[in-house]
Structures are given as structure tokens and as C-alpha cells.
Amino acid sequence: MPGAAQQQEAATAAGTDFARFERYVLDLQDRILSEAEAIDGSGKRFLRDRWSRGSESAGYGITAVLEGGDLLEKAAANISIIHGELSAQRAQAMSSRGRADIDPKGGQPYSAAAMSLVFHSAHPLVPTLRADVRLFQVAGSAWFGGGCDLTPSYLFEEDARDFHAHWRRVCERYGEGVYPEFKAWCDRYFYIPCRKEHRGIGGLFFDDVASGEAGYDAEAFVREVGDNILPSWTAIAARRRALPYSGAQRQWQLLRRGRYLEFNLLYDRGVKFGLDGGRVESIMVSAPPLIAWKYGVEAAEGSEEARLVEVLRAPREWA
Amino acid sequence: MPGAAQQQEAATAAGTDFARFERYVLDLQDRILSEAEAIDGSGKRFLRDRWSRGSESAGYGITAVLEGGDLLEKAAANISIIHGELSAQRAQAMSSRGRADIDPKGGQPYSAAAMSLVFHSAHPLVPTLRADVRLFQVAGSAWFGGGCDLTPSYLFEEDARDFHAHWRRVCERYGEGVYPEFKAWCDRYFYIPCRKEHRGIGGLFFDDVASGEAGYDAEAFVREVGDNILPSWTAIAARRRALPYSGAQRQWQLLRRGRYLEFNLLYDRGVKFGLDGGRVESIMVSAPPLIAWKYGVEAAEGSEEARLVEVLRAPREWA
């Protein structure tokens, strides 16, 4: 296992300062936790659970979770900093994506830094927010990934338009094609084949973004994505939590959360990667706090519930 | 796609009468539904949802589910009768298990008949019951599979002993080694690697049992397993439902159900096979009706909850 100093050297050589991005995700998590506590308003605080991978030089993380808030029924914002050696399986996957500098046999040292977030709302009209930003370094190269997407239980077209317009504005500073590409990637990624439904109304999703290849400063872009996670959601949350809701709407929310978990456990690459030797509680913290499954649930024709399902079956262009 | 008549011919040639086992699972389902309604006692009836795979000759099923009963918060007992063609993937898996008559390239016609069951109890002291019996026929050969296992939220050693003693008695009519082999197989199969826990306290699990190879009448054995599913559980359910329980015990049950779903979606071979082109609602009907996930739940040392977790980490011999 290579030490932190050796990793740091490789990282700086790659043109991206790993330690700088590590400081960024630590700071981002701090800011998100404070702001989320203020938005929640219950006075509850995030539990901050710091863990390490045996030794600090192999990596560490801070899992932060708030449960039973007024708005935030369960919210998590985690960072993880990993220094390790590529497994053959992961190296092959990266190599097959066209990464010529990856040895498909594995064994190369790598470093990863990530902040990932999910907010499950107590209020059925407030959409679930999911986001992450991440840096992966190996063999003198650095790639960024990340995204931010919305999973509502009820469709408010105004919310969908605002959310996507927000992300279009962020992306357009980096090029005309950035938003359409990452919006489409998000629709493709968050798809539940067995349900023939997308998980939510999308947003951004991207991986393997490197400064030289992208035509823009990838780190600057990803930091801007990170900084814009909460601003893309807070106004939407504020206006929806002010509305009254029924027990039937809450029940529909619990049923929709079932799809969220089905996606995570059946299809999410990050979950599968993380559970393979990762820290199970830091991964499963993304699970909704309470979920219902009933047999053969179908939204009544013409209902608000059917309006949501329709847009999950056929994603729209919102911005 | 081969027709039912062609399949039937192959089935009879294999020495096992497919139509006879098909009638058996239909009758078994009927008997289980009636008995389960009586045990539940709420007056609720199973919904019986019949479906077909495009044409009747390609197969059909009856998904039967009772939701919101007094004892049975959600109970399902399904049959499915499938006639199809082996995919290359499935053929390779079977071939690699030593099935010389399977063409690893796929394309051979097969038939399958199965009854599968899961009872999720409203009462946290009544264990979840899962069971199935199945017949698979291809290329002139027939193999049976099945099993029955218990997933309690609280450990009653008397229940664990009675359940396993019941299955030992059933198995011993077919040979001394049958129970130990299938008990160990069950412990191996229902294991959740990311949690380092077994899903429940086990029971029986078996696959690929053929009359000529097993040294006993495989069909007679599997029918006896089917007939013994409810008797292995009813006395346990009756004595535990009579006990009072607390809100904290109900909460622990909801958390334990999370592990049940994690196993099903992350690791269960049958779920993965079924979702790949199968009928999603008939597979996901096995999901518990209500599940909770909290961060970092640990049973207090010396508590009843810890006594359960201990036995899930290190399975015991009960009978």
C-alpha cells in the first residue's frame, strides 16, 4: 500500500493538487452541514462520524447524518479520502473506457476524494436531493466526476424547470455542450430497467472529466458543481414544505422511496463498488429512513401520481 | 419458442411428469392460501392475480398476496409455470455446475414450475417465513430445488430448535445426510457479505436434486418439503403472537427487515434471474411491507437484540 506522501507526489505531478481538492471537499461538507441544519430548523445537529481505513495514510472519511429533523427526515453528507491500489477488476473497467495509462492487470496506486450527499425529506412534496463530487487519480492522470439530481414524489413542473435551469446556467460557463451532455448522461444512468422508469427527473451526471480533454478547467467546474448543490434545491424545498399534505401523499412518498432503494441496490455502480470491501454503514446511509412496498401499485389515470410516473417513463427537456 | 405439447413430451421422457408437478404446485398454493387466511384470522382474503407470458403455452403464473392482515402484514404465495429457451448465460452457469447434458451455448428448451412463499408478520416476535419448491427440466433431465427458512427479529431458542427439528424429521425419511447437507447449504446461501451476517436462523436450501443421483425419490422429497412449509411455522407463530410487544420491538423489526431486502436485492440469485425479463411485481412482492434504515444501529451489549445478532454472525446447530 503506497503511503500518503508518495500519493501526494503523484497527485501533484498529475497537474491536479490532490490535497487541495481534499481540503475543498472537507470545507464543502462543513458548509453543507451548517446550512442544512439551518434549513431544517429543528435544532437537530448532524452526527459527524469520523473513520479511518486502518491507518490514516490509507484513507479516512467523515460520515455525517441527521435523522428525524423537521424537513430532513434523513440527510447524509459524507466525505471519503482513499489511497489504495487498483484491483484488476476496476483497472479493466477503466481501461475498457479508453484509459490508455491504466494497466488492466491492476496494481497501480490510486487516490480518490469524494463528497456525496442525499437528503430525504419528511414532507412528501419536497423532492429528494442527491449529489456528489469526486476526484480520481492514477498513473499521473486525474479525472473528476459528480452530479446532482432530483427525485420528487410529486411532479411540480416549476420545480423541474428551476432545477434544470439552475444547472444549465452553471454548466454554460464551461461550454454550450456541457449541460445537454451531462443531462442526458443523468437520464441514462438513473434508470431502473426492471421498472422501465427513471429514478427521478434527472439533473447532471458525469464521470472521467479531465482538464486537458474537456477543453475547460475540470477542477473549477466540479468545485462549482459542489458549491451549487444546495442552491439548486433550497428554494424548491422552501416553497413545497409550506404546503399542507395528506396521509395518502405520505404513503405515496414511502412507495416511491422503494424505487429509490431498488435503483441503489440493484443498479448503482457506486453502491456495488463501495460494498465490495468498503464501509457498509457509510454506503447504506443513503437508504431512505422509511419505505413501503405494496403489491401492484398503479397510479390512477389522470391523477397527480400518474403525472409523475409519466415523466419518469419518458424524461423531458426542462431547460 | 417450443410449444407446451413439445415440452410435455420432453418432460415425460425425463422420467418426471411435469404436468403432475404443475398440478401439485397449483394445489399446494390453494391449500396454503386457505390455511394462511384461517391462521391470519382477520377475514382478509388473498388477492389472486393470474398472469400469462404472452401466450399460455409460454407459461403463466398466479401471484397471491394478502396485505394488512392481523398476523400477516404481507404474505405472498406465488406459482409460476415457464416454458422457454435457455439463455447462453444461464446455460453456462448450469453447465459449470457439472450438468453435462446442458449445451453451454444455450438455446435448449426448458420448463420450470415453482411455488414460492414469504410471510411477513405484523408482530415483531413472529418470525418471517420463506419457502419454495421448484422443478427445472431441460434436455431430458429434471432437477428439483427448494427450501424453507426462518428470519426472526428476536431469537427464541425454543423456536429455532422446533423449526430445525421439524425439518430434520422430514429429511431423515430420505437419508441421514439430507438434513445436515441442506442445513449447511441454507447457512451458506442466506449470507450477507457486506454485513458479515446471515439473513436468518436458516432451515433448508437445496438445488439440482435429481432422483437418479440423489439416491431417493427427489419428487417425493420435494413434495414433502412443500407440504411441510406451514406446519414448520404455525405453532411458532401461534405462541409468539399471543405475547405483548413494545414500540421499540416493532422498530427493531422494521430495521431487521432492511437486512432482508438488502439480501434479496444485492445477493439473491432468484431475484436477479427473475428481474432479468421476469414479472417485476411477482418478484418484488417478496419485499417487506414497511422497512426502516437508520445509521449505525448497534444492539446494546447483553440485550435481546444482541442475542439475535450473535446467532446471525455465527450460525448454530439447532437439531
Side-chain angles (χ1 to χ4, degrees):
Chain A
M1 199 67 66
Q6 200 182 332
Q7 289 286 343
Q8 189 48 47
E9 201 177 322
T12 310
T16 300
D17 189 330
F18 187 84
R20 185 176 62 208
F21 194 76
E22 177 177 344
R23 285 193 305 274
Y24 169 73
V25 295
L26 280 160
D27 176 63
L28 177 64
Q29 184 192 38
D30 254 351
R31 287 185 283 135
I32 283 175
L33 299 187
S34 306
E35 199 178 333
E37 285 169 358
I39 293 169
D40 178 63
S42 67
K44 287 218 175 185
R45 305 289 306 274
F46 277 87
L47 167 85
R48 293 165 189 237
D49 198 356
R50 198 180 201 284
W51 50 270
S52 79
R53 299 180 77 226
S55 71
E56 284 286 312
S57 66
Y60 67 95
I62 304 171
T63 300
V65 57
L66 187 156
E67 293 173 300
D70 280 350
L71 175 64
L72 303 172
E73 189 174 343
K74 186 177 175 192
N78 308 330
I79 64 136
S80 59
I81 309 296
I82 308 290
H83 304 290
E85 209 168 79
L86 274 189
S87 67
Q89 198 186 346
R90 188 152 168 97
Q92 271 156 31
M94 298 184 71
S95 172
S96 71
R97 285 208 303 270
R99 293 284 153 208
D101 31 12
I102 302 290
D103 181 350
K105 290 199 300 295
Q108 288 168 302
Y110 77 89
S111 293
M115 193 292 300
S116 60
L117 167 156
V118 59
F119 285 5
H120 294 289
S121 316
H123 195 300
L125 304 182
V126 176
T128 300
L129 176 70
R130 192 217 66 89
D132 73 318
V133 289
R134 54 189 187 271
L135 165 61
F136 200 82
Q137 285 195 326
V138 63
S141 298
W143 309 283
F144 292 92
C148 183
D149 64 279
L150 217 57
T151 304
S153 298
Y154 285 89
L155 177 66
F156 292 92
E157 300 205 355
E158 179 191 4
D159 298 351
R161 281 195 305 268
D162 285 1
F163 185 77
H164 279 275
H166 179 96
W167 287 111
R168 178 182 274 284
R169 281 193 301 275
V170 169
C171 291
E172 279 185 344
R173 292 168 213 149
Y174 297 84
E176 275 293 312
V178 176
Y179 169 77
E181 182 187 349
F182 295 167
K183 193 275 186 188
W185 199 339
C186 192
D187 286 338
R188 277 199 310 278
Y189 183 77
F190 291 105
Y191 181 65
I192 312 175
C194 71
R195 297 287 185 180
K196 298 182 173 60
E197 278 180 19
H198 295 260
R199 192 179 71 177
I201 58 159
L204 302 182
F205 186 87
F206 56 94
D207 207 350
D208 290 332
V209 175
S211 286
E213 303 161 8
Y216 52 82
D217 181 338
E219 183 175 348
F221 170 68
V222 170
R223 288 171 69 139
E224 203 151 332
V225 169
D227 293 347
N228 271 282
I229 294 167
L230 285 198
S232 72
W233 173 82
T234 43
I236 293 168
R239 65 183 174 236
R240 296 308 157 208
R241 75 188 295 191
L243 300 176
Y245 66 86
S246 68
Q249 287 174 319
R250 170 70 176 169
Q251 181 62 22
W252 174 253
Q253 180 194 30
L254 299 190
L255 292 167
R256 293 310 308 173
R257 284 176 174 177
R259 300 290 180 279
Y260 198 92
L261 197 82
E262 287 174 15
F263 178 83
N264 281 15
L265 298 191
L266 289 170
Y267 305 112
D268 192 83
R269 283 195 332 229
V271 168
K272 296 211 178 302
F273 178 67
L275 289 181
D276 183 24
R279 189 173 178 270
V280 59
E281 281 294 328
S282 297
I283 291 147
M284 287 304 302
V285 75
S286 65
L290 194 65
I291 311 183
W293 269 274
K294 278 175 76 76
Y295 178 70
V297 173
E298 294 214 23
E301 213 182 305
S303 66
E304 282 301 308
E305 290 77 12
R307 283 210 317 125
L308 175 80
V309 174
E310 197 182 309
V311 79
L312 299 178
R313 292 206 175 132
R316 279 192 227 161
E317 296 308 317
W318 293 103
Chain B
M1 200 67 68
Q6 200 183 334
Q7 287 286 343
Q8 189 48 49
E9 201 178 321
T12 309
T16 300
D17 188 330
F18 187 83
R20 184 177 63 207
F21 194 75
E22 179 178 343
R23 285 194 303 275
Y24 170 72
V25 295
L26 279 160
D27 175 65
L28 177 64
Q29 184 192 38
D30 253 352
R31 287 185 283 136
I32 284 174
L33 299 187
S34 307
E35 199 178 333
E37 285 169 358
I39 293 169
D40 179 62
S42 68
K44 287 218 175 184
R45 304 289 305 274
F46 277 87
L47 168 84
R48 293 165 188 234
D49 198 355
R50 197 179 202 285
W51 50 272
S52 79
R53 300 180 78 225
S55 70
E56 285 285 312
S57 66
Y60 68 94
I62 303 169
T63 300
V65 57
L66 187 156
E67 292 174 301
D70 281 350
L71 175 65
L72 302 173
E73 190 174 343
K74 186 176 174 193
N78 309 330
I79 63 136
S80 60
I81 309 295
I82 309 290
H83 304 290
E85 208 168 80
L86 274 189
S87 69
Q89 198 185 349
R90 187 149 170 102
Q92 270 155 34
M94 296 184 72
S95 171
S96 72
R97 284 208 305 268
R99 293 283 153 209
D101 30 13
I102 302 290
D103 181 350
K105 289 199 301 295
Q108 289 169 302
Y110 76 89
S111 294
M115 193 293 300
S116 60
L117 167 156
V118 59
F119 285 5
H120 294 290
S121 317
H123 194 301
L125 303 183
V126 176
T128 299
L129 177 70
R130 192 218 65 87
D132 74 316
V133 289
R134 55 189 186 271
L135 165 61
F136 199 82
Q137 286 195 325
V138 64
S141 298
W143 310 284
F144 292 91
C148 183
D149 64 280
L150 217 58
T151 305
S153 298
Y154 284 90
L155 178 66
F156 292 93
E157 302 204 356
E158 179 191 4
D159 298 352
R161 281 195 305 270
D162 285 0
F163 185 77
H164 280 275
H166 179 96
W167 288 113
R168 177 182 275 284
R169 279 193 302 273
V170 169
C171 292
E172 280 186 341
R173 291 169 214 148
Y174 297 84
E176 273 294 310
V178 177
Y179 170 77
E181 183 187 349
F182 295 166
K183 193 275 185 188
W185 199 339
C186 191
D187 286 338
R188 277 198 310 278
Y189 183 77
F190 291 105
Y191 181 64
I192 311 174
C194 71
R195 298 288 185 180
K196 297 183 173 63
E197 278 178 20
H198 295 261
R199 192 179 71 177
I201 58 159
L204 302 183
F205 187 87
F206 56 94
D207 206 350
D208 290 333
V209 176
S211 286
E213 302 161 7
Y216 53 82
D217 181 338
E219 184 176 347
F221 170 67
V222 170
R223 289 171 68 140
E224 203 151 334
V225 168
D227 293 346
N228 270 282
I229 293 168
L230 285 198
S232 73
W233 173 83
T234 43
I236 293 168
R239 66 184 174 234
R240 295 310 156 208
R241 76 188 294 191
L243 300 176
Y245 67 86
S246 68
Q249 287 174 319
R250 169 69 175 170
Q251 181 62 21
W252 174 253
Q253 180 194 30
L254 299 190
L255 292 166
R256 292 310 308 172
R257 284 176 174 176
R259 300 288 181 281
Y260 198 92
L261 198 80
E262 287 174 16
F263 178 83
N264 281 15
L265 298 191
L266 290 169
Y267 305 111
D268 193 82
R269 283 197 330 233
V271 168
K272 293 208 181 304
F273 177 67
L275 289 181
D276 183 22
R279 190 174 178 271
V280 59
E281 282 293 328
S282 297
I283 292 148
M284 286 304 301
V285 74
S286 66
L290 194 67
I291 310 185
W293 268 275
K294 279 175 77 76
Y295 177 71
V297 172
E298 295 214 22
E301 211 183 306
S303 66
E304 283 300 308
E305 290 76 13
R307 284 214 313 127
L308 175 78
V309 174
E310 196 182 311
V311 77
L312 299 179
R313 292 204 176 134
R316 279 193 226 158
E317 297 307 318
W318 292 104

